[in-house]
Amino acid sequence: MCDDQKEEAPEILPFLSKGRNPPRDAENIEDDGDVEDTSCGFWVFKGRILQRFATEKMYVILYGFAGCVMTMTFAYFNGTITTLEKRYKIPTKISGIISVGNDISTMLTAAVLGYYAGNGHRPRWMGIGLLTIVAFCLLTGSLHFLYGAGEDALKLTREYGGQAEANESFPDTQNDQKLCQTSASGCVQDVGVWVPQIFLFGAQLISGVGQGLFYTLGIAYMDDNGTKSKTPAMLSLSTFLRMLGPAIGYSLAAVCLRMYIEPTMEPLISREDPRWLGAWWLGWLILSGLSLIAAVVLFMFPKELPSSRQRRVQNRQTDSKTETDIKELSCADMLRTIKRLAANKVYVHNTMASILYFFGYMAYWIFTPKYIETQYRQSAAMATMATGTVALGFSAVGVLLSGYVISKYKPSARAMASWNAVVDFMTVAGILCYVAIGCEGSDSLNSLATLSAGNSCSASCHCDYVHYAPVCTPENITYISACHAGCSDKAKDDLGRTTYTGCKCMASSTLLSDPETQFALDGACPVDCFNQFLIFLSVMCLLKLVGASSKSTNLLIALRCIPHEDKTFALGLGSMAASLLGFIPSPIFFGWLIDNYCLVWGKTCSNKGNCWLYDTKSLRYALNLTAAAFIFVAGFLNISVWYHAKELKIFDEDKTVEKDLELTKIKSQDNE
């Protein structure tokens, strides 16, 4: 037996010192059987060295590391979602449906698995959950190896288009579909357009099972195996470590997206070009390895920490009324538990407030990189880096500050609920600031593009199925393509730039129809929105700091307002409700909302494809005002939590138990 295991049962030492055998009643038999439940390791990975790590601190650190890896995977997916849309021609509404696949499986499994697995070996169940994350990473990344970089991306490389470049001085205008056509061209054929979408959705479904197991069981295990006075600090530390995941995940996405989708080839366009596709698949290989390591680490932890078992035994000795019966696991008992939770007003209102907050803020968790790209004309790498590294750094600071304040000042449940309401209303104020932070250059670019796409001149050029390839006129007007500008020829200028000439459709927007001015350069006109982007980023960082400070307070209220025996199931039921009412419908709804303001679709034979340009001004108003409305209602629900939480105790640790434990340790040392 390990040394730590010997110290787990100090209650038998007084009997041995007096030359008597300890009593062999039911309690002692149960305690002897618990020795294996407090042992670290599994299979051949066990021993005295591992037993040293069976502590509260080590669990919090490793649980935080595992949570960091898990959030890295979801952040990486969000950071690369715009690239996936372009690569596989996915509308935003469909990408929203794909992103909620994990929430659908979480909804279907969290409550049931939380109810049954909560009474089993929880760390091993969490390890199994992380193995589903490994499968999620491998399935998502394998799409690139099945379909490759895609013909559209390869055409923009020097290796693929080298021969075409050599002949560009004498182009075949009849075969070049970027130019104005005299007759309608065939539509763009897509091969297996639905297969990647189904593949991505299936991978998300698998990951949801692991997500539900990890969060539901992990938090309950932490609260059950630690002292209540330390719970706020442990929650803050684990949340802080977990929140490093999105920052690292977005940073990894930014690094990968700076490389071209086919790293061995040289692209002919810059990263700022909207047609740029980064190496989105590369990060999934790294994330799958990290997830596997995290799964093995959690498998090592015992069913119950030795320190927790010691407190449990001491509690039973000092309180003869302590309940020792094993909870019945049945459908009837589950229904009784649901009725108890439904009658708990603090639990119900706190859960509803969280759901409404999640519903409104989910749009920013998933679509912020897309929002930055469309509103402020930043590259995918820059948008991902800003969302992850910079903004989430403030979230981490907010979590640590809140944990410090809660641990030091031990506020009441009412104080925590009131702070949650204040955070909601501050978030609404910040989102309203988003409405005012627009970029005039970006707004005017899109409105002019709409005019160019809809005039009769461009319609006569049959540009319906022309790929998005923007050109810039001398008047600094961006056209969707040279075809939409009515250009009939192209050549290279002295600087080596591709120039389109004979652009007859520009006359409708030119005061003097001078043939010498009817030309356009390849690429979109430059738009400077960097200052507005910095202002937006500053407000976003402030909201991240404030919003993160309510994570610990919200979770503490959820943990303390329910009985101990219902804790795991209540967390699972809350997770299921959040998925059903918040995490699942929100991305679909906001994806549909974003698609409604699309101006230019990448049309194919089978569907509309992905969106290339949006009505940024209308989108800015609709998206932000809708999100603010949901969070505003959540603030009033937190006021209701404040009203009903007057009798709720957050810090009710029994100090006598700790003193008894200290005395027992002293006695055992004297006996030794």
Side-chain angles (χ1 to χ4, degrees):
M1 186 183 292
C2 301
D3 293 335
D4 290 343
Q5 292 174 338
K6 291 179 181 178
E7 295 175 2
E8 289 169 13
E11 70 276 5
I12 68 171
L13 292 176
F15 292 99
L16 296 176
S17 62
K18 296 177 182 179
R20 292 183 295 168
N21 293 324
R24 299 294 296 172
D25 56 14
E27 289 186 0
N28 291 106
I29 294 174
E30 180 188 347
D31 294 340
D32 290 341
D34 285 347
V35 172
E36 185 176 351
D37 290 339
T38 58
S39 300
C40 276
F42 69 99
W43 196 33
V44 296
F45 305 101
K46 57 177 63 175
R48 183 177 299 179
I49 296 177
L50 290 177
Q51 193 64 24
R52 299 175 183 175
F53 298 101
T55 62
E56 297 174 28
K57 281 185 180 179
M58 188 55 62
Y59 172 76
V60 171
I61 293 173
L62 294 180
Y63 176 71
F65 164 73
C68 176
V69 173
M70 180 174 288
T71 52
M72 280 173 63
T73 62
F74 296 118
Y76 186 83
F77 180 83
N78 292 340
T80 57
I81 196 168
T82 55
T83 302
L84 288 171
E85 289 177 2
K86 295 175 185 177
R87 169 61 188 92
Y88 298 107
K89 299 177 174 59
I90 304 174
T92 305
K93 179 176 67 175
I94 301 299
S95 64
I97 294 174
I98 291 172
S99 65
V100 302
N102 62 332
D103 296 303
I104 292 175
S105 54
T106 298
M107 175 196 68
L108 296 175
T109 60
V112 176
L113 289 178
Y115 181 77
Y116 288 101
N119 293 277
H121 200 300
R122 287 180 284 189
R124 291 183 185 172
W125 276 105
M126 287 187 283
I128 292 173
L130 282 170
L131 290 179
T132 67
I133 302 299
V134 176
F136 160 62
C137 295
L138 293 177
L139 284 173
T140 305
S142 64
L143 270 180
H144 176 76
F145 301 98
L146 293 174
Y147 287 92
E151 187 178 357
D152 292 344
L154 294 176
K155 283 181 178 178
L156 298 173
T157 62
R158 188 173 301 278
E159 291 80 359
Y160 192 97
Q163 187 63 34
E165 274 196 340
N167 297 326
E168 270 188 351
S169 299
F170 307 97
D172 184 355
T173 57
Q174 295 302 318
N175 295 328
D176 193 340
Q177 293 186 356
K178 288 183 180 180
L179 301 177
C180 184
Q181 302 292 313
T182 57
S183 60
S185 58
C187 62
V188 180
Q189 293 288 343
D190 281 329
V191 179
V193 65
W194 289 106
V195 176
Q197 298 176 21
I198 296 173
F199 220 76
L200 292 171
F201 183 76
Q204 289 281 343
L205 276 177
I206 293 173
S207 70
V209 178
Q211 179 180 252
L213 284 171
F214 181 80
Y215 290 121
T216 302
L217 301 179
I219 294 174
Y221 184 85
M222 181 190 302
D223 194 49
D224 290 344
N225 286 272
T227 56
K228 290 186 178 180
S229 60
K230 295 179 181 178
T231 299
M234 291 192 298
L235 284 175
S236 297
L237 178 58
S238 64
T239 304
F240 169 74
L241 293 174
R242 192 165 67 244
M243 292 187 69
L244 294 178
I248 300 172
Y250 278 116
S251 300
L252 178 62
V255 172
C256 293
L257 292 178
R258 290 180 66 85
M259 294 182 284
Y260 200 58
I261 189 171
E262 191 58 58
T264 59
M265 294 185 176
E266 181 185 353
L268 297 174
I269 57 175
S270 65
R271 297 187 186 97
E272 288 71 28
D273 194 299
R275 293 169 293 174
W276 174 276
L277 294 179
W280 64 270
W281 53 272
L282 191 58
W284 292 116
L285 305 180
I286 300 171
L287 292 171
S288 60
L290 291 175
S291 300
L292 182 60
I293 294 173
V296 173
V297 166
L298 284 184
F299 260 100
M300 298 287 188
F301 271 93
K303 183 177 181 180
E304 182 181 21
L305 294 179
S307 58
S308 173
R309 176 183 172 277
Q310 189 173 351
R311 281 192 300 271
R312 177 169 59 83
V313 172
Q314 188 65 32
N315 270 326
R316 191 163 53 210
Q317 290 181 347
T318 56
D319 187 0
S320 59
K321 296 181 181 180
T322 301
E323 193 72 37
T324 58
D325 295 335
I326 298 176
K327 184 179 178 180
E328 175 194 2
L329 297 178
S330 65
C331 292
D333 179 70
M334 186 186 297
L335 292 175
R336 287 193 296 270
T337 304
I338 292 175
K339 289 181 180 179
R340 284 198 302 272
L341 294 175
N344 189 329
K345 293 183 179 180
V346 175
Y347 172 78
V348 172
H349 292 177
N350 188 62
T351 302
M352 290 175 61
S354 299
I355 289 172
L356 285 171
Y357 181 87
F358 291 148
F359 194 102
Y361 215 79
M362 181 65 66
Y364 303 102
W365 286 339
I366 295 179
F367 299 121
T368 292
K370 187 183 189 74
Y371 186 88
I372 293 174
E373 289 181 50
T374 57
Q375 292 286 335
Y376 307 110
R377 300 295 159 186
Q378 301 300 309
S379 66
M382 174 64 77
T384 302
M385 181 65 73
T387 305
T389 306
V390 179
L392 288 175
F394 282 81
S395 295
V397 173
V399 169
L400 288 180
L401 285 177
S402 65
Y404 171 76
V405 171
I406 294 171
S407 298
K408 183 175 182 179
Y409 297 104
K410 294 181 171 54
S412 65
R414 275 196 155 187
M416 292 184 180
S418 62
W419 175 246
N420 291 342
V422 169
V423 168
D424 288 344
F425 294 130
M426 290 179 67
T427 302
V428 171
I431 292 176
L432 294 179
C433 291
Y434 288 169
V435 178
I437 308 172
C439 180
E440 185 178 352
S442 178
D443 294 342
S444 61
L445 184 150
N446 290 333
S447 62
L448 291 170
T450 307
L451 293 175
S452 71
N455 61 40
S456 59
C457 179
S458 62
S460 65
C461 287
H462 306 286
C463 306
D464 287 344
Y465 295 104
V466 173
H467 282 220
Y468 178 75
V471 295
C472 183
T473 72
E475 293 181 330
N476 206 41
I477 298 174
T478 297
Y479 282 77
I480 297 171
S481 69
C483 179
H484 288 84
C487 304
S488 57
D489 202 355
K490 70 176 181 179
K492 290 281 188 179
D493 64 8
D494 296 337
L495 299 177
R497 299 176 299 181
T498 301
T499 304
Y500 298 91
T501 57
C503 305
K504 60 182 181 180
C505 296
M506 290 168 51
S508 59
S509 59
T510 308
L511 295 176
L512 296 175
S513 300
D514 185 358
E516 294 184 0
T517 64
Q518 293 181 347
F519 72 92
L521 294 175
D522 191 29
C525 298
V527 176
D528 186 10
C529 297
F530 192 70
N531 290 335
Q532 292 87 342
F533 166 63
L534 291 180
I535 297 172
F536 170 83
L537 185 60
S538 301
V539 176
M540 182 172 65
C541 290
L542 179 61
L543 289 186
K544 292 285 187 181
L545 177 67
V546 173
S549 65
S550 66
K551 289 183 180 293
S552 297
T553 53
N554 183 277
L555 186 55
L556 279 171
I557 292 174
L559 288 172
R560 296 292 180 262
C561 70
I562 49 182
H564 175 272
E565 64 272 12
D566 297 337
K567 187 179 300 179
T568 303
F569 178 68
L571 291 175
L573 185 64
S575 178
M576 184 183 74
S579 297
L580 178 63
L581 302 176
F583 293 135
I584 292 174
S586 178
I588 298 173
F589 171 76
F590 283 105
W592 167 82
L593 184 69
I594 292 171
D595 277 348
N596 274 351
Y597 295 96
C598 180
L599 300 176
V600 179
W601 289 99
K603 293 182 180 179
T604 65
C605 295
S606 56
N607 63 4
K608 291 189 295 187
N610 62 292
C611 183
W612 287 103
L613 284 176
Y614 293 91
D615 182 354
T616 52
K617 185 176 182 180
S618 300
L619 176 61
R620 187 168 63 251
Y621 276 85
L623 177 68
N624 292 313
L625 291 178
T626 304
F630 285 101
I631 299 175
F632 186 70
V633 178
F636 285 99
L637 282 171
N638 273 316
I639 293 176
S640 178
V641 174
W642 170 86
Y643 177 79
H644 293 290
K646 52 187 175 183
E647 302 295 335
L648 182 63
K649 292 183 180 181
I650 301 295
F651 302 95
D652 57 349
E653 182 67 29
D654 188 1
K655 300 296 182 182
T656 60
V657 174
E658 294 182 357
K659 291 180 180 179
D660 289 340
L661 287 173
E662 293 177 2
L663 290 174
T664 304
K665 288 181 181 178
I666 294 173
K667 289 180 180 179
S668 64
Q669 290 173 358
D670 292 340
N671 291 330
E672 290 176 350

